[in-house]
């Protein structure tokens, strides 16, 4: 199967070949033809499958075919909503890469940066807007963006947007769009809430699915190392050094923990940087760049910050701590083994986390191979303690716990369960922005 046979126009084929893709991925084979035909799409796909090109390529072609590209002032004709800034930045970059031979303008809009430059860009006119919901709604409310001419709407990682509490913002945004439009809906998981939203938005969509839900990529080798909590850091430094790993993404449950681990690794002589919601956008972009270019060996991330990160050929992911939400394990290890490459995902698991581990294995319907490293055998006298959750509630961990549905309705339920929604007294807006920053 070739990109040519999918019916893409020359300018797109050129961009794809310049990017170095020789053949389409399974999701691209399935998604491109129906989207080119103007159909709605419901895609069950995780990142790493090539889904961004799967929707971006035909979207660009549709915009060219509707032939308004070069006439009169530019209007936003395609809107892509993503849960996080990082994903928005990556999708925005893909739009630029794939569209580089086409006369279309695009921009990226997200929070945490100054709004005025965005207003100026929007005033100049763009065809394609990639945005996170919160900041886009700010623009809508200030009348600095007009969504009345949108022909194509893409909801990327819809499940994560709902988990992050964006549903009201999304509904408000959708209310501004023309009813007559093409809608492309992507989600890695399909809760009832997601199905309901998809039913409302999609008209007889083409259904496509790759790597069925809640399964991890076969290309990722997984292993659990049992180790005491107090010795994890030592074991980690040992593994990085002994295996001479050059690029490792490490997950921590909390921002504080991520910072502490980064500092400790540096003390061990391992170059490391952290990416999480307490960092400014500039610091996050810088951290990612340093990691991608190999200036630092280790990137320590929290779940939301890492969502959607696309790092070419990332060989190693380490769960320094298991996530509280089993689905996050799949998202985490999906950062490696992407687009046909092999990857390795290692989890350092202490006695406190055995319950989390069995939840993950139940979700994936498979056991992860276990191993202990000689010299790091767990001390059987150590008893399990409750797993520490994010302190201060800014991470959005609680609000993205799928079992805690009250988190999406901040006015009900136990505040302790979703401190970021209302437990710390901040407004819903602030809490949501904080979780967006995650
Ligand atoms: P995505 O799932 O969209 O985040 O894409 C995952 C990775 O696959 C990105 O690094 C893309 O650049 C890469 N990719 C997308 N399509 C192809 C393709 N047809 N051939 C090789 N790599 C691809």
């Amino acid at each position: 199967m070739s990109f040519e046979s999918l019916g893409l126009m020359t300018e797109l084929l050129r961009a794809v070949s310049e990017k170095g893709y020789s053949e389409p991925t399974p999701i691209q084979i399935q998604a491109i033809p129906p989207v080119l035909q103007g159909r709605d799409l419901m895609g069950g796909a995780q990142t790493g499958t090539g889904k961004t090109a799967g929707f971006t390529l035909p979207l660009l072609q549709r915009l060219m075919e509707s032939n308004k590209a070069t006439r009169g002032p530019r209007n936003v004709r395609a809107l892509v909503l993503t849960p996080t800034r990082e994903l928005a930045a990556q999708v925005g970059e893909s739009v630029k890469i794939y569209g580089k031979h086409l006369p279309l303008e695009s921009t990226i809009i997200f929070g945490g940066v100054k709004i005025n430059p965005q207003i100026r860009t929007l005033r100049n006119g763009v065809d394609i807007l990639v945005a996170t919901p919160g900041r886009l709604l700010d623009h809508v409310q200030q009348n600095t963006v007009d969504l009345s001419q949108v022909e194509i709407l893409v909801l990327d990682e819809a499940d994560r947007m709902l988990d992050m509490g964006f549903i009201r913002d999304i509904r408000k945004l959708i209310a501004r769009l023309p009813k007559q439009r093409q809608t492309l809906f992507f989600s890695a998981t399909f809760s009832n809430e997601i199905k309901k939203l998809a039913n409302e938005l999609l008209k007889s969509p083409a259904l496509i699915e790759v790597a069925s839900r809640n399964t991890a990529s076969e290309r990722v080798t997984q292993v659990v190392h049992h180790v005491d909590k107090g010795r994890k850091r030592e074991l980690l430094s040992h593994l990085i050094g002994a295996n001479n790993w050059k690029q490792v993404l490490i997950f921590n449950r909390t921002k504080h923990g991520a910072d502490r681990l980064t500092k400790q690794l540096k003390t061990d002589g391992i170059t490391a940087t952290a990416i999480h919601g307490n960092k400014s956008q500039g610091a996050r972009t810088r951290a990612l760049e340093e990691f991608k270019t190999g200036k630092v060996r280790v990137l320590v991330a929290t779940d939301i910050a890492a969502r959607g990160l696309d790092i070419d050929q990332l060989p190693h992911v380490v769960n320094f701590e298991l996530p509280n939400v089993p689905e996050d394990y799949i998202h985490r290890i999906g950062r490696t083994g992407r687009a046909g490459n092999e990857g390795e995902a290692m989890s350092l698991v202490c006695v406190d986390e055995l319950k989390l581990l069995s939840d993950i294995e139940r979700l994936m319907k498979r056991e992860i191979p276990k191993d202990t490293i000689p010299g790091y055998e767990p001390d059987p006298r150590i008893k399990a303690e409750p797993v520490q959750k994010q302190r201060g509630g800014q991470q959005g961990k609680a609000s993205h716990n799928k079992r805690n549905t009250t988190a999406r309705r901040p006015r009900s339920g136990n505040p302790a369960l979703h401190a970021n929604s209302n437990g710390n007294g901040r407004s819903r807006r602030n809490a949501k922005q904080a979780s967006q920053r995650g």
Side-chain angles (χ1 to χ4, degrees):
M1 180 61 80
S2 66
F3 279 106
E4 284 81 359
S5 59
L6 294 175
L8 291 173
M9 62 206 302
T10 328
E11 291 86 343
L12 293 172
L13 293 174
R14 245 173 81 203
V16 160
S17 114
E18 283 163 12
K19 175 83 181 147
Y21 302 161
S22 49
E23 52 182 46
T25 66
I27 193 162
Q28 290 160 5
I29 294 171
Q30 293 178 62
I32 291 172
V35 178
L36 282 179
Q37 286 164 19
R39 288 189 64 185
D40 281 2
L41 186 76
M42 166 85 151
Q46 308 179 355
T47 48
T49 51
K51 79 175 147 76
T52 314
F55 68 75
T56 305
L57 290 167
L59 174 150
L60 291 166
Q61 182 152 334
R62 293 280 300 163
L63 293 183
M64 288 309 294
E65 283 169 354
S66 75
N67 200 23
K68 294 177 196 154
T70 48
R71 285 195 213 143
R74 289 174 193 277
N75 292 311
V76 178
R77 293 195 294 133
L79 172 63
V80 184
L81 292 178
T82 74
T84 63
R85 303 165 184 177
E86 277 76 17
L87 187 58
Q90 280 169 197
V91 172
E93 199 181 325
S94 297
V95 168
K96 292 224 185 305
I97 291 171
Y98 303 133
K100 69 182 189 189
H101 301 300
L102 298 173
L104 296 170
E105 292 293 331
S106 64
T107 195
I108 308 165
I109 296 285
F110 49 62
V113 295
K114 289 198 187 110
I115 199 165
N116 283 337
Q118 296 178 346
I119 294 176
R120 278 196 293 278
T121 309
L122 289 169
R123 206 181 289 141
N124 289 337
V126 295
D127 304 284
I128 303 145
L129 183 55
V130 182
T132 52
R135 175 56 68 88
L136 182 59
L137 196 59
D138 290 343
H139 281 285
V140 165
Q141 283 161 352
Q142 294 184 32
N143 267 328
T144 47
V145 68
D146 174 10
L147 299 179
S148 68
Q149 306 298 314
V150 169
E151 297 162 29
I152 307 176
L153 167 69
V154 182
L155 290 177
D156 197 10
E157 305 204 346
D159 48 352
R160 189 50 56 119
M161 286 200 275
L162 261 53
D163 289 346
M164 287 172 69
F166 282 138
I167 185 67
R168 290 180 201 194
D169 290 356
I170 291 173
R171 286 192 188 283
K172 283 185 196 158
L173 289 169
I174 288 174
R176 304 283 182 137
L177 306 179
K179 288 217 161 33
Q180 186 66 34
R181 59 160 197 270
Q182 185 176 12
T183 304
L184 315 178
F185 189 105
F186 290 90
S187 185
T189 54
F190 288 91
S191 63
N192 289 338
E193 203 181 358
I194 283 287
K195 285 187 205 150
K196 182 167 167 268
L197 182 65
N199 278 341
E200 285 171 38
L201 297 181
L202 300 171
K203 291 185 199 117
S204 38
L207 302 173
I208 60 171
E209 181 150 25
V210 292
S212 73
R213 98 183 237 222
N214 298 341
T215 54
S217 160
E218 292 300 320
R219 293 181 187 275
V220 181
T221 312
Q222 302 174 57
V223 64
V224 162
H225 291 309
H226 289 298
V227 58
D228 291 334
K229 184 159 60 185
R231 301 199 64 200
K232 281 187 179 185
R233 202 264 307 144
E234 203 186 325
L235 175 58
L236 178 65
S237 292
H238 165 73
L239 289 169
I240 295 172
N243 296 304
N244 198 17
W245 287 342
K246 298 276 189 282
Q247 203 183 33
V248 198
L249 176 62
I250 298 180
F251 283 96
N252 236 280
R253 276 194 292 270
T254 66
K255 290 178 278 201
H256 180 65
D259 279 338
R260 196 177 40 208
L261 181 60
T262 306
K263 226 185 255 164
Q264 290 168 335
L265 288 170
K266 284 187 192 161
T267 314
D268 288 346
I270 295 167
T271 50
T273 185
I275 188 163
H276 59 62
N278 277 3
K279 304 240 165 190
S280 68
Q281 186 56 37
R284 285 161 61 161
T285 309
R286 212 161 39 246
L288 191 57
E289 204 46 41
E290 287 178 348
F291 183 60
K292 281 186 172 179
T293 54
K295 212 167 141 204
V296 298
R297 275 166 98 174
V298 172
L299 183 66
V300 185
T302 55
D303 287 284
I304 289 183
R307 180 71 178 164
L309 285 188
D310 176 25
I311 298 152
D312 266 353
Q313 306 188 3
L314 175 65
H316 304 285
V317 167
V318 175
N319 295 306
F320 190 74
E321 297 168 325
L322 288 181
N324 294 317
V325 184
E327 283 86 352
D328 280 344
Y329 176 85
I330 293 168
H331 290 306
R332 286 179 176 191
I333 71 169
R335 305 301 103 206
T336 181
R338 293 158 79 87
N341 294 305
E342 305 283 316
E344 190 177 30
M346 185 174 286
S347 303
L348 306 186
V349 177
C350 68
V351 64
D352 306 349
E353 299 170 301
L354 294 178
K355 168 80 174 63
L356 296 177
L357 179 61
S358 68
D359 289 348
I360 289 165
E361 292 183 322
R362 190 167 332 116
L363 176 74
M364 295 197 301
K365 298 195 179 68
R366 62 178 275 196
E367 278 196 30
I368 306 169
K370 317 285 181 321
D371 193 11
T372 41
I373 307 273
Y376 291 90
E377 294 85 356
D379 181 344
R381 290 167 303 181
I382 298 179
K383 296 275 170 285
E385 288 175 18
V387 166
Q388 187 204 348
K389 298 241 166 94
Q390 173 71 33
R391 275 183 289 168
Q394 291 165 34
Q395 176 65 24
K397 239 8 281 185
S399 80
H400 102 239
N401 184 338
K402 287 177 181 136
R403 287 163 303 194
N404 174 19
T405 47
T406 55
R408 286 170 218 139
R409 291 174 215 104
R411 268 176 289 281
S412 65
N414 175 0
L417 283 175
H418 44 81
N420 83 325
S421 298
N422 61 0
N424 60 4
R426 284 183 302 156
S427 68
R428 176 184 168 268
R429 186 85 179 148
N430 285 343
K432 189 204 64 199
Q433 284 169 349
S435 85
Q436 185 183 356
R437 278 194 285 276

